[in-house]
Structure formats: structure tokens, C-alpha cells
């Protein structure tokens, strides 16, 4: 279902030959209207790929008719030629759809520093356009995979309207981290302003809190397109919640498919003085390599949680900190708590609760363990 | 030679039985005077081990007669009992030496959250005191090892005076990161103020710029003791340079022995607008797990360098960035530079130069690659 679950959208996914292994590598998502509203959030990395620079301009144009996405190359750090290639891709999509290029968002993912094979990409756009279908969402989701082992889609259907989406990647964005691309679609009839508000609210507590390896991508993009074709304008709160649910579901799928991971780690920070404190502490814990290794070894090493908390500027007293791992309060009042041998870590999901005892705010960050497979996957070849 | 290279110091290293495997685990360094000046820098982690809390007080007392160090347990997150144990350890050293406890600094390293076996540690102090010798520096350096594969010592001898030292650990301090302990000694005749100034200046550009895995310890301590026994008061600049050389040498030894590492990576940031910018960028590159994996795989993946630079707030223009790896400028003006196949990465040391083209300041951060061995070492058992 994916991006074509909502009415007013067609999609396609094909193998254009960008990837040397012949796997699908080009996706096209088209908003057939009647409305062509859109919102987008992009990587906060200051080194932005050409397609991000282009798509940020597209967002300012006010309407988005199509998104073209390629895997097999990030088109980042490719200079003026890279930007020209992105522009030419948008022009090609515009030409085959009979729309303006400034209404065509472009997303790319893959290795940084390589120019895209335009002699394959541009004909690929024509092939994809010829295969556009209301049932093409699945194929589009497959075509944007890089090191993803599975494609990721999600759909929430409400009373007469739908939010659907697809995602690729394995990591985090601020929106900023990891080579993550997401396209969401809805047939609800909403203007850009509401879409933007709902998308920013949703990403703030979902994708923004998925932190696989602390590394920030040059290409991260999350787009939300609205066709209005359901002819329904939902209440904002209900719509925002549906967008949040789809983002949350896709974010969870990203974590579960993170490179080399054997554990999904839910870091829940409670009783923080502020939400910012909770996020800062959660992120510090989630990025601690020593802790991530310990979790991989099924070692409830709460000392590494405390040392990660200690590096933050959050409000807390060291001797009031409490830490639970999978329900066992292994650290109480900054020292030894319940018997760590009670902690059962056999399962894939690990739940760490860090109690700052400094207020009533909370935040949850999702991460993975650090494994030899992660090292292998990121050292054995360029990505 | 180590801490006993300078005159006016004795040391010992013994197996007190703190470590279950019977390896040496207790070191004692004594300043026999005539002067007992000292300076110290400590972890910036807000979760501080009991010995750090104690030794910070000792520093305020104005003179340090001895340092007692144990491996086999960090005595961190151990509550009031942990602090009492540190105090009791200092009292015991004071008793056997006939000095005041407030002149005895204490350092501990090992697993967080475990109380030390005082029934072994206190008798161990007596044993160590009985073995104090002007040739004991080597044994002391051996007794503070944890996962270190070799002990680390360094000596600089100048005209009539000497700076020596020992270190354990594998990582970074701010002073803050990694379970790192360092004791430096000198027989130069200097007061606390000069020692403090020289030590802070030295750590700022040496240990502070060694970042193995981005993880900040609860126990990091660097102490500098001066006996005055050479009867020479060197020029401050000359003394500071000698301290810097010893710190630099020990820092390099820490990096070369970092857990699981197969590559030592020198990250040199040049042409930064400010030194702070250079350090921020260097640290961001040094902590990028994806880059560290790539270096492990001998892949000159400059895209990961650029994406790490892009996460900082340093002054730079993305299209003016240049990156060299082992002398080959693989990235020029933010894009593809010289042929990456020219980069020879067969050797252990890897040199990354990041040119921000934004000024004239520079900084060098040392780190390691990220390896399956690091994951194994930090997941297979608690540490």
C-alpha cells in the first residue's frame, strides 16, 4: 500500500541501472490532485546533498506534483554538476508528467561523492512514468532500499481519509541523521500550513528520536504530500495524530532494520526537569558506544548509563539517579540497586529507564546495540 | 623509570587480591620531598567516582605526599560507603607513611558500581609501603593496568631536572573521557601555581585531544607531583614544554593501546577560524562511527568526513572544504578531488587533514578505528 494507500497518488519503482547489481533503484510518486499541497523536513547537516538543496526550493514553491527518488548514489558533495543533475532529473519528471520542474522534489541515497549515471537515470524516469499505478506504492518502497533488508511502509486509515508512507534507511535524522528518506501521502484535503505543522510535530517525537549510530546524513528528507482527493478535511488534531502514528511506525521499522543490530533499545528518560533535558540525556545514553556494546553482550551495565548521563548538562543530582533495565531497578539513588542477575536480556527489545528525579518531563529515544556486524557492514565496502 | 625517574619519589606496585585473576592491582607513589607541591585535573563527568571526589579535596589542601591507585574496581556509583572506603584508604596510607590523610590522593579504575574489597586493599597498602623504592616506578605502572595490554611510562630529562609519568587507559578525557589515570612527577622545584598552569596547558592539547570512543569516564585523573629534590627551578616555559612532551607521549601510548583498535587516526583540522572550531570539527570527525568503520576497512571514505564536519557549528562553507587522507587530497572544494585509489592505508597510522578554509587555526585529535574486536572486548564481559 505505502504511498498509494491514499487516493490521488500513483507510484512506480523500477531498476534503472543506477545500482550495479541490477536491483530496483528508481521510484516515482505522483500526486494526481486535485490538491498538490506538501510539507517537508530536511537534514540539519550543513553539508547538504544536491537533491536536498533542490527540494528545499521546491517546498518554497508551494505545491509538489511528484517526488523522484533514487538509491545507488547520494549525489552529495558533487559540486555544481551534481546540482545540475538533480535539476535535470526534476526537468525530466516535469516533462513526462506535463508539470513544472519546480513542483518536483528529488531525493537521492547512497554513496557520497559520486555523480549519478544520468544516462541511466533519465531514461529510467520515462520507464517509471510509464508504470505509474495506484498500486505502485510497494514497488516504490522497494526501489529506495540501500542496505535495508526489508522495505518499510505504513498506513493509517481514518473516517474517509488515509495517511500512508514509505521509508528507507537505518538511523536517525534531526531531521539530520542517517541516510533516511521518507515520503508520506494523504488524500485528506489540507493546506500546506497544516501539513507542515503536523509533519514537524510528528518528526520531532518520532524520527528525531530514532538514533541508530549518532551519524548525521547529508540527504535525509521527509516529505508529506496531500492530494485532497478524499474530499475530507479532518480535524487538525486527528490528522496530526495519524501522521504521528505513521511516522512512529516507520521509525520503529527503521530501528528494527538498522545495520548489524541484534537489539532494539528503548531509552526512556523520566522525571526530567524539562523535555529538552530528557532528550539530551536519552541521546547521550543512546550514543554511548560502551553501553551499546554491553547491551549487545546482554550485560545490564548500568554504570555506563550513569557515566553517559554524567556528560550532559541536564538537571539532576548524581545520588538521586535511578536506572531500570528490562524492569529491574539495577541502580537506585546513584548506586547499586536490585540484583542485576534478575535482568532478562534474551529478547531483541531492551528497555532502559533513566529516572532523573528532577521533574516530571519524559522522552524516549530508540537506538540499537553496537555489533561486529555493524562494523563489518560499514568497513567491508563503501556506503 | 616512570614516576620514579624524578628524584624525591618512591613507588611500588603489588597484587593485593583486588583483581580475581591475581594480577598486580595496587600502586603507591610517594613524594619524599623536600617539597610536596601538586596539581591535578579530573574528569568533567558530573557522575564522579568517590576517589575523584576525595582527590579534588586533597588538591585544595595544597600539598600531596602520596597517591594510592588501584585497578580492579572504579569505586564509582558506590554511595556513602564508597566514599568511606576511599577515605579509609587514604587514612591507611597516611598511617603507614606518618603523614596526614588529606595529603593522600586516591585513584581507582575498573568496573563501576562495585564496592572495593577493603579487606584486601588495606593490607595491600601495608605490603606496598614495605616495597616502596626509587626503582618502583615500573611496577607501579604495571599495577594500574586494566584492559591495557602494555604499561605506559614516559620520561623527559632536562638540565638537572626531570619529568616522568605513568598512565593507564584507552580513550579520552576532557579531562573526562575513558578510564584513564595518569601520575606525573618532577624533581623540579616549583610551587602549586606553576604546576597547575603547566598541567592544564599540557592536558588541554594532549589528553583532552585523545578521543578513543567518545565515552567519558567517572574516574579520570591526571596528577602532577613536584618534590623539589633536584633543587632546580626551571624557566616556566621550559618546564611546561617538558610536561607537555610527557603528556603527549603518554597520550600517544594510550591511543596505540586502545581497546580493539587496528588503526591510530590522527585527525588534523587546519585553516579553522578559531581553535575551538578546529577542536569541535576534529572531535566530530573522531567520533563518527561510520568513518571509524571505514578506516578499519581501509576505505578512504571522505564523504563520511564531510558529513561529520557538517554536524558542527564551526565556520566553513561546504563548497570550500578539502580533505586529505594519508597525503592524498581526495576531497577538494567540497567535492571529488584526487583519485582515492592513490590512498595507501596499509599502515597502522592514518592521517586525515580537514581543511576548513576559514582561517588559520589548527588542532589535532587522535582516535582509533572501530573494530569487531572493540565490540567483542566491550560486550563479552563487564568493564
Amino acid at each position: 500500500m505505502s504511498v498509494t494507500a491514499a487516493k490521488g497518488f500513483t507510484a512506480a519503482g523500477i531498476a534503472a541501472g543506477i545500482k550495479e547489481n541490477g536491483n530496483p533503484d528508481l521510484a516515482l510518486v505522483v500526486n494526481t490532485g486535485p490538491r498538490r499541497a506538501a510539507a517537508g523536513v530536511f537534514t540539519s547537516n550543513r553539508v547538504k546533498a544536491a537533491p536536498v538543496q533542490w527540494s528545499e526550493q521546491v517546498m518554497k514553491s508551494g505545491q509538489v506534483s511528484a517526488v523522484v527518488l533514487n538509491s545507488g548514489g547520494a549525489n552529495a558533495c558533487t559540486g555544481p554538476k551534481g546540482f545540475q543533475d538533480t535539476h535535470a532529473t526534476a526537468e525530466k519528471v516535469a516533462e513526462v508528467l506535463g508539470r513544472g520542474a519546480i513542483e518536483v522534489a528529488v531525493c537521492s541515497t547512497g554513496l557520497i561523492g559520486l555523480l549519478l549515471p544520468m544516462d541511466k537515470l533519465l531514461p529510467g524516469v520515462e520507464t517509471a512514468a510509464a508504470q505509474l499505478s495506484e498500486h505502485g506504492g510497494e514497488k516504490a518502497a522497494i526501489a529506495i532500499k540501500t542496505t535495508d533488508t526489508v522495505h518499510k511502509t505504513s498506513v493509517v486509515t481514518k473516517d474517509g481519509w488515509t495517511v500512508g508512507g514509505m521509508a528507507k534507511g537505518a538511523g536517525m535524522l534531526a531531521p539530520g541523521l542517517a541516510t533516511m528518506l521518507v515520503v508520506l501521502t494523504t488524500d485528506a484535503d489540507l493546506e500546506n500550513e497544516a501539513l507542515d505543522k503536523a509533519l514537524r510535530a510528528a518528526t520531532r517525537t518520532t524520527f528525531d528520536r530514532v538514533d541508530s549510530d549518532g551519524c548525521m546524513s547529508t540527504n535525509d528528507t521527509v516529505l508529506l504530500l496531500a492530494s485532497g482527493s478524499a474530499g475530507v478535511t479532518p480535524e487538525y488534531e486527528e490528522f496530526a495524530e495519524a501522521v504521528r502514528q505513521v511516522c512512529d511506525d516507520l521509525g520503529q521499522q527503521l530501528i528494527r532494520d538498522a545495520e548489524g543490530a541484534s537489539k532494539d533499545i528503548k531509552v526512556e528518560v523520566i522525571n526530567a526537569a524539562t523535555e529538552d533535558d530528557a532528550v539530551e540525556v536519552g541521546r547521550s545514553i543512546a550514543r554511548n558506544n560502551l553501553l551499546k556494546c554491553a547491551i549487545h553482550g546482554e550485560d545490564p551495565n548500568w554504570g555506563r548509563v550513569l557515566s553517559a548521563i554524567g556528560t550532559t548538562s541536564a538537571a539532576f543530582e548524581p545520588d538521586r539517579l535511578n536506572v531500570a533495565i528490562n524492569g529491574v531497578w539495577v541502580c537506585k539513588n546513584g548506586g547499586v540497586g536490585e540484583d542485576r542477575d534478575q535482568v532478562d536480556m534474551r529478547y531483541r527489545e531492551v528497555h532502559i529507564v533513566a529516572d532523573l528525579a528532577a521533574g516530571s518531563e519524559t522522552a524516549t529515544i530508540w537506538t540499537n546495540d553496537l555489533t561486529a556486524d555493524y562494523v563489518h557492514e560499514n568497513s567491508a565496502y563503501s556506503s
Side-chain angles (χ1 to χ4, degrees), chain A residues 2 23 35 56 61 104 123 150 209 213 231 274 291 293 348 360:
Chain A
S2 164
N23 284 343
R35 190 187 280 282
E56 285 182 331
S61 78
V104 180
V150 293
R209 296 187 184 172
D213 60 7
T274 65
L291 176 65
C293 287
R348 184 171 176 102
S360 57

Side-chain angles (χ1 to χ4, degrees), chain A residues 267-286:
Chain A
V267 180
E268 186 180 1
V269 181
I270 63 172
N271 298 322
T274 65
E275 187 180 350
D276 283 351
D277 274 8
V279 171
E280 183 190 0
V281 168
R283 224 178 262 297
S284 178
I285 295 169

Side-chain angles (χ1 to χ4, degrees), chain A residues 350-362:
Chain A
V350 175
H351 186 191
I352 297 173
V353 180
D355 174 8
L356 301 188
S360 57
E361 296 298 320
T362 184

